[in-house]
């Protein structure tokens, strides 16, 4: 073998096996059931015929004495629950895809005819960088580091809930005749997770938020480590190596890359929508909100979009080098070379359509703008 037994990255050992994925899946199935039972017991699952926050926004009544926002009428809470329960599962899928990164490149390189393997692979340096990445991944999964992440997630959840308790809910989403401060307090008073009336539900929300923030920290750090690792592999001309001789898996040897990018983008959109829901919808829309949204988008650019750009550039470079090797070959006839050239440049550089990727990225960056515009329109003149 070209690389040793420990050549493939082994990140986040705590979620790196199949059993862990099943545990997270079991939590994702059981937690909503428990939450539903608790909400039914607390009588906060559905409204009871009074004015709801969403109906008041859509069609403001003349007089508002009280406002209700049950769990099923709180789209932000539903989004947060979904993100919290499925982020660990997505993270486990990303880990498995990362494990296949080096084997994918190696298999695609070895698929080339022996006479066309002119590229020299720096095996020793690649293995050293793999070992370094493994150390970073192991540190992210370390028990004591995980406790720090958990404590930070719990602290952040508490601070956000504290702000909600003081400032109320939906302060920047007010189309009623009430002052924004009065409106937000009325919404909080009738909120399903009001700690004064429904302490158990408030505790459940904080626990779910802690769970989400815990894995978000790990996911972002894992993405940063992998982004740095991919950058290093690109410099060593071993970033993305497509199979340019035959379609080995339906995506020219890049199915693991497709799997990683799809799961990563799904996680990014889900977590971003949940984060924006909390800080743009629940909390007042301020300059700090804009800064936070910009910070989240910057972090995602580093750990998601930059590696995607690296993958595209690396794939093109790999094809250019391979085409140059074919052109310089003395054992191939010109007709054979032309067939190679046609196949190389007719195949996509990445295992999905570029148009779909551009559309997804555009929508991603439009989400905060749309939320800001709608909020401004609703609160205009209130």
């Amino acid at each position: 073998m070209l690389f040793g037994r420990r050549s493939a990255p082994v990140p986040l050992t705590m979620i790196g096996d199949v059993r862990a994925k099943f545990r997270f899946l079991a939590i994702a199935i059981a937690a909503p059931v428990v939450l539903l039972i608790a909400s039914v017991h607390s009588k906060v699952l559905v409204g009871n015929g009074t004015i709801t926050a969403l109906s008041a926004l859509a069609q403001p009544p003349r007089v508002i004495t009280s406002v209700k926002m049950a769990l099923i009428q709180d789209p932000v809470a539903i989004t947060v629950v979904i993100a919290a329960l499925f982020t660990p599962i997505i993270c486990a899928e990303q880990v498995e895809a990362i494990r296949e990164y080096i084997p994918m490149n190696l298999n695609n390189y070895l698929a080339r005819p022996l006479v066309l393997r002119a590229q020299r692979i720096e095996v020793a340096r690649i293995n050293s960088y793999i070992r370094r990445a493994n150390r970073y991944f192991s540190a992210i999964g370390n028990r004591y580091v995980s406790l720090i992440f958990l404590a930070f997630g719990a602290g952040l959840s508490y601070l956000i809930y504290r702000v909600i308790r003081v400032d109320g809910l939906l302060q920047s989403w007010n189309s009623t005749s009430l002052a924004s401060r009065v409106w937000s307090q009325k919404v909080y008073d009738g909120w399903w997770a009001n700690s004064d009336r429904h302490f158990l539900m408030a505790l459940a929300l904080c626990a779910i938020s802690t769970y989400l923030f815990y894995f978000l920290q790990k996911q972002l750090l894992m993405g940063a480590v992998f982004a740095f690792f991919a950058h290093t592999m690109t410099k060593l001309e071993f970033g993305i190596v497509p199979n340019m001789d035959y379609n080995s898996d339906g995506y020219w040897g890049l199915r693991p890359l497709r799997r990683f990018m799809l799961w990563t983008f799904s996680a990014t959109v889900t977590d971003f929508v949940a984060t924006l829901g909390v800080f743009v919808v629940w909390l007042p829309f301020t300059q700090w909100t804009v800064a936070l949204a910009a910070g989240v988008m910057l972090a995602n650019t580093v750990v998601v979009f930059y590696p995607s750009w690296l993958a595209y550039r690396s794939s093109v470079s790999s094809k250019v080098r391979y085409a140059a090797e074919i052109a310089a070959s003395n054992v191939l006839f010109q007709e054979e070379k032309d067939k190679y050239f046609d196949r190389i440049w007719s195949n996509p550089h990445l295992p999905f359509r570029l148009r779909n990727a551009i559309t997804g990225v555009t929508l991603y960056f439009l989400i905060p703008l749309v939320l800001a515009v709608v909020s401004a329109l609703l609160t205009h003149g209130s």
Side-chain angles (χ1 to χ4, degrees), residues 47-84:
N48 56 3
T50 58
I51 298 174
T52 67
L54 294 181
S55 64
L57 289 176
Q59 191 173 4
R62 292 183 179 180
V63 179
I64 300 178
T65 56
S66 63
V67 180
K68 292 291 185 180
M69 189 160 70
L71 175 59
I72 204 169
Q73 298 163 341
D74 190 349
V76 175
I78 295 173
T79 303
V80 169
V81 171
I82 292 174

Side-chain angles (χ1 to χ4, degrees), residues 6-139:
R6 299 186 60 186
S7 61
V10 185
L12 288 178
T13 55
M14 63 168 295
I15 62 174
D17 56 30
V18 176
R19 290 175 300 175
K21 188 192 303 184
F22 281 118
R23 286 198 297 269
F24 294 132
L25 185 60
I27 292 174
I29 295 174
V33 176
V34 174
L35 186 62
L36 287 175
I37 294 174
S39 62
V40 170
H41 179 267
S42 301
K43 299 180 180 180
V44 296
L45 179 61
V46 296
N48 56 3
T50 58
I51 298 174
T52 67
L54 294 181
S55 64
L57 289 176
Q59 191 173 4
R62 292 183 179 180
V63 179
I64 300 178
T65 56
S66 63
V67 180
K68 292 291 185 180
M69 189 160 70
L71 175 59
I72 204 169
Q73 298 163 341
D74 190 349
V76 175
I78 295 173
T79 303
V80 169
V81 171
I82 292 174
L85 297 178
F86 284 98
T87 292
I89 299 174
I90 295 174
C91 197
E93 294 289 348
Q94 291 173 300
V95 168
E96 292 187 8
I98 289 176
R99 289 179 184 273
E100 300 174 3
Y101 176 80
I102 291 295
M104 174 191 73
N105 283 343
L106 180 59
N107 291 335
N108 292 339
Y109 175 79
L110 295 178
R112 302 178 181 181
L114 187 61
V115 295
L116 295 177
R117 297 180 197 169
Q119 175 189 354
R120 295 186 59 186
I121 299 178
E122 301 182 58
V123 177
R125 291 187 64 187
I126 291 176
N127 277 330
S128 67
Y129 287 126
I130 290 173
R131 287 191 292 270
R132 183 176 67 180
N134 283 340
R135 288 196 298 270
Y136 291 149
F137 284 130
S138 297

Side-chain angles (χ1 to χ4, degrees), residues 58-366:
Q59 191 173 4
R62 292 183 179 180
V63 179
I64 300 178
T65 56
S66 63
V67 180
K68 292 291 185 180
M69 189 160 70
L71 175 59
I72 204 169
Q73 298 163 341
D74 190 349
V76 175
I78 295 173
T79 303
V80 169
V81 171
I82 292 174
L85 297 178
F86 284 98
T87 292
I89 299 174
I90 295 174
C91 197
E93 294 289 348
Q94 291 173 300
V95 168
E96 292 187 8
I98 289 176
R99 289 179 184 273
E100 300 174 3
Y101 176 80
I102 291 295
M104 174 191 73
N105 283 343
L106 180 59
N107 291 335
N108 292 339
Y109 175 79
L110 295 178
R112 302 178 181 181
L114 187 61
V115 295
L116 295 177
R117 297 180 197 169
Q119 175 189 354
R120 295 186 59 186
I121 299 178
E122 301 182 58
V123 177
R125 291 187 64 187
I126 291 176
N127 277 330
S128 67
Y129 287 126
I130 290 173
R131 287 191 292 270
R132 183 176 67 180
N134 283 340
R135 288 196 298 270
Y136 291 149
F137 284 130
S138 297
I140 295 174
N142 180 272
R143 178 179 302 175
Y144 299 105
V145 175
S146 298
L147 288 175
I148 294 174
F149 289 157
L150 186 63
F152 182 81
L156 185 58
S157 298
Y158 173 78
L159 288 176
I160 292 174
Y161 192 90
R162 184 72 178 176
V163 173
I164 292 175
R165 187 170 183 177
V166 173
D167 293 336
L169 280 169
L170 307 183
Q171 188 173 130
S172 298
W173 296 73
N174 177 23
S175 60
T176 69
S177 59
L178 297 175
S180 294
R181 184 75 178 179
V182 176
W183 158 257
S184 63
Q185 286 299 326
K186 285 185 177 296
V187 175
Y188 175 75
D189 289 341
W191 189 36
W192 65 273
N194 183 323
S195 59
D196 297 324
R197 300 180 180 180
H198 310 292
F199 179 76
L200 178 63
M201 301 306 298
L203 188 64
L205 177 61
C206 289
I208 290 172
S209 301
T210 300
Y211 190 69
L212 173 60
F213 288 133
Y214 171 79
F215 280 101
L216 276 179
Q217 294 173 82
K218 285 183 173 280
Q219 194 173 49
L220 286 174
L221 282 178
M222 183 182 73
V225 171
F226 184 71
F228 180 74
F229 177 73
H231 174 75
T232 305
M233 292 297 100
T234 301
K235 291 175 62 177
L236 295 177
E237 298 184 348
F238 206 67
I240 296 296
V241 181
N243 188 334
M244 289 172 279
D245 286 272
Y246 64 97
N247 193 352
S248 56
D249 59 5
Y251 296 99
W252 297 92
L254 298 181
R255 182 177 288 273
L257 176 64
R258 174 184 172 85
R259 176 186 178 188
F260 176 76
M261 297 181 75
L262 288 177
W263 281 114
T264 299
F265 191 76
S266 299
T268 301
V269 172
T270 303
D271 297 337
F272 188 48
V273 170
T275 303
L276 285 180
V278 172
F279 289 97
V280 177
V281 180
W282 273 357
L283 301 180
F285 193 92
T286 64
Q287 293 180 347
W288 287 106
T289 308
V290 177
L292 175 73
V296 172
M297 295 175 77
L298 178 62
N300 286 332
T301 299
V302 172
V303 302
V304 179
F305 300 121
Y306 176 65
S308 300
W309 165 245
L310 277 181
Y312 177 83
R313 191 179 66 180
S314 177
S315 178
V316 173
S317 298
S318 179
K319 289 187 175 185
V320 169
R321 289 192 300 271
Y322 192 42
E325 294 167 7
I326 292 172
S329 174
N330 296 323
V331 299
L332 297 176
F333 296 106
Q334 188 59 45
E335 293 182 357
E336 295 176 294
K337 293 182 179 181
D338 291 339
K339 290 182 180 179
Y340 269 107
F341 294 147
D342 291 340
R343 184 165 61 246
I344 289 173
W345 299 115
S346 63
N347 298 334
H349 302 312
L350 291 177
F352 49 82
R353 293 180 179 179
L354 184 61
R355 181 176 58 187
N356 293 344
I358 294 175
T359 301
V361 172
T362 302
L363 290 175
Y364 173 83
F365 284 104
L366 281 178

